Amino acid sequence: MSYKACLFDLDGVLVDTAIYHFKAWKMLGENFNYQLTEEQNEQLKGVSRVESLNRILAWASYSATEEQKEIWLKEKNDNYLSLISSMNPAEILPGVVDFLDQIKENGYKIALGSASKNAEIILEKTGLMPWFDLIIDGNKVSKSKPDPEVFLKGAEGLGFLPSECIVFEDAQAGVEAAISGGMKVIGIGDASVLSDADKVIPNFVGIKSTDLLLF
Ligand code: B16
Ligand code: MG
């Protein structure tokens, strides 16, 4: 298959913002005396903000009104925004810039497919924006991963069939989204967690655009 486009998840693939999400959710948990663990935070990767809050409240066995949830969603995001306010290009994950340079030079189109509503801020702060032909983020979709909407909109927006796109994802929900969208998916991280992906690589170090022909 000759691929025409690469669709990248953001958090955990291009930058590591999971640590900031974790800190911001932990701060929020103090409101209802709940201590979020790192293992639980793993299960929030790729999951939307609303769904993340619902999961945390369920773990805490805390039932909140819709009004209270709105207040807490804003509070969590305010905490998160202040934590990411000093992000910079040094926080781009290893090998990413070299790989983006190579695929751009070789004519592949590049899109973002992220659940985050803060994706554009992060791309600006880290200087990653110029590589992207299209941004599909949490503001542009109504269904979150594992629904394939974010990646299908990416393929359609670039003018390609799903089968012409390769998705790079670090979360199980995102891997499922790519598969149900009919796309090839490369997992970034731990092969035992991302076992449904077509291939798993630990990161982009040493990955070349010619590897796209082998995936
Ligand atoms: P926000 P991704 C996801 O981004 C994160 O992995 C997930 O932890 C977060 O809850 C979600 O974005 C929503 O983020 O609160 O910034 O809208 O991995 O899909 O790039
Ligand atoms: Mg991710």
Coordinates of all heavy atoms in Angstrom, one line a residue, residues 63 73 173:
S63 N -21.1 11.2 43.6 CA -22.0 11.6 42.6 C -22.2 13.2 42.6 O -22.5 13.7 43.7 CB -23.4 10.9 42.7 OG -24.1 11.5 43.7
L73 N -14.9 20.9 35.6 CA -14.2 20.8 34.3 C -13.4 22.0 34.0 O -12.3 22.0 33.5 CB -15.3 20.5 33.2 CG -15.9 19.1 33.2 CD1 -17.0 19.0 32.2 CD2 -14.8 18.1 32.7
A173 N -7.5 3.6 23.3 CA -8.8 4.1 22.7 C -8.5 4.7 21.3 O -9.3 4.6 20.4 CB -9.3 5.3 23.6

